[in-house]
Amino acid sequence: MNDTRRAVLDALAEGPVSGPELADRLGVSRAAVWKHVDALRDAGFDVESTDAGYVVAEVPDYGAAAVEFGLDAPYRVEHHDSVASTNDRARDLAADGASDVVVVADEQTGGRGRLKRAWSSPSGGVWASLVLRPDRPPAHVPVFTLAAAVAVARACREAGAPAVIKWPNDVLVDGSERKLAGVLTEMEGEADRVSWLVVGAGVNANVDADALPPGATSVREEAGDVDRRRFLQRTLETFHELWEDPDRILPAWRELSVTLDRRVRVETATEVLEGEAVDVTFPGALVVRTADGRRTIHAGECEHLRPA
Ligand code: BT5
């Protein structure tokens, strides 16, 4: 989980590189390079020494170094076989000042949904939480939650599962509307500026449906097992692209949305509204045309209704 390891991984991902060249490039001793390569071998990488330099012949299926290897996004990865909640671990890291770190676990024993609901997280899923420190007001944060839903939904589609998004950020299977993934964002900040942000995503990847609550499904059930390493990389890469260019988030979300143009019932903290969902506007509010006119809803539970 340190910067030199990441630099070694990035250099190896680009092609053969010799030990002295690596040491030179990274400004560390040859012994340090050798130690890192050795640690990668211990982590399951097959690193061959050829005349042209080190060549990675095989990457492990999953794990911190495996996800960082070839990752086109500036995040470091921390992997656990089992953890209570990756969001909890990410919050601890954030409180200690960390940023741009992804906490990943094979299994969570205390996974959380929104509003203190439990989130089933058996082994084989993709349970991940990213720590960020955006220079933005808290009011802008919801748009990045939508970006996470877009990133996850696109990765599900690349894996063959026809994913769509229900407002604000449930990832469902088109047609059956069974839930494949969810996003839980948490933050700390002052009125005008976010101190840290944790974006947690839970994807039922290589999980049997009978290990999940009713109404849930998995990538395995819809499209067969997925390469979790590639899946998480693609998710992080898409998220980072959208993070860098936030104007693209809402158009990308609209394209995947199954809520727009639908009759919905939305329960907010103070009321229940019914009408047609007509748009989503910055930073992620749902616009509903009701019998009393257009209403803009910033937070609530949305239910899709059958056409009247
Ligand atoms: C969510 O909550 O959809 C957000 C889930 C976020 C989970 C990730 S995993 C990594 C990170 N670490 C955590 O501890 N959390 C995040 P919500 O919209 O409140 O949905 C919760 C409801 O979905 C539950 O009440 C169940 O009905 C249902 N549910 C529970 N586990 C599920 C699963 N694995 N798949 C689909 N639905 C599930």
Side-chain angles (χ1 to χ4, degrees), residues 21-300:
E21 205 180 319
L22 251 180
D24 214 36
R25 230 196 273 179
L26 306 180
V28 298
S29 68
R30 287 184 196 191
V33 166
W34 188 79
K35 253 193 200 159
H36 278 286
V37 170
D38 222 34
L40 290 176
R41 287 183 172 135
D42 282 347
F45 281 77
D46 179 4
V47 186
E48 290 173 359
S49 303
T50 71
D51 290 345
Y54 291 121
V55 173
V56 175
E58 208 176 302
V59 183
D61 290 344
Y62 207 39
V67 175
E68 282 184 15
F69 181 77
L71 173 65
D72 190 13
Y75 308 133
R76 283 174 300 126
V77 181
E78 178 183 295
H79 176 272
H80 300 264
D81 289 332
S82 180
V83 77
S85 154
T86 55
N87 260 48
D88 290 348
R89 171 67 186 149
R91 290 175 65 121
D92 288 345
L93 290 172
D96 286 344
S99 187
D100 304 294
V101 182
V102 194
V103 180
V104 184
D106 176 48
E107 163 198 76
Q108 294 183 120
T109 53
R112 296 186 284 112
R114 295 175 301 150
L115 308 170
K116 298 195 174 151
R117 294 179 192 128
W119 182 259
S120 306
S121 318
S123 167
V126 171
W127 323 119
S129 303
L130 176 59
V131 183
L132 294 161
R133 293 184 177 275
D135 188 10
R136 295 201 164 240
H140 291 186
V141 163
V143 82
F144 296 110
T145 309
L146 299 196
V150 169
V152 165
R154 283 198 191 156
C156 288
R157 285 179 168 228
E158 285 176 20
V164 289
I165 307 174
K166 182 178 114 173
W167 184 84
N169 41 55
D170 279 352
V171 177
L172 311 177
V173 170
D174 198 13
S176 74
E177 301 221 334
R178 301 211 313 165
K179 187 158 164 171
L180 269 175
V183 179
L184 174 68
T185 301
E186 298 178 291
M187 69 169 149
E188 194 171 272
E190 319 259 302
D192 57 341
R193 195 164 171 276
V194 172
S195 160
W196 55 254
L197 176 65
V198 168
V199 184
V203 186
N204 303 323
N206 303 333
V207 175
D208 291 337
D210 60 17
L212 297 168
T217 187
S218 64
V219 178
R220 170 180 283 172
E221 299 288 340
E222 303 296 326
D225 276 7
V226 60
D227 174 351
R228 285 188 295 171
R229 168 178 170 259
R230 205 53 210 129
F231 184 96
L232 181 55
Q233 288 182 332
R234 291 298 300 135
T235 303
L236 294 169
E237 288 165 1
T238 305
F239 181 82
H240 179 65
E241 268 171 48
L242 294 170
W243 175 266
E244 295 276 279
D245 192 1
D247 287 347
R248 287 172 45 201
I249 297 172
L250 292 182
W253 189 94
R254 288 186 191 106
E255 218 170 88
L256 290 164
S257 162
V258 75
T259 300
L260 297 182
D261 302 327
R262 287 282 288 264
R263 279 199 66 75
V264 295
R265 178 187 293 124
V266 187
E267 198 176 331
T268 74
T270 51
E271 60 181 340
V272 180
L273 291 170
E274 258 187 54
E276 189 191 351
V278 291
D279 199 10
V280 64
T281 58
F282 188 83
L286 189 67
V287 182
V288 180
R289 187 162 54 216
T290 73
D292 305 325
R294 283 163 86 97
R295 298 287 304 278
T296 300
I297 302 157
H298 287 271

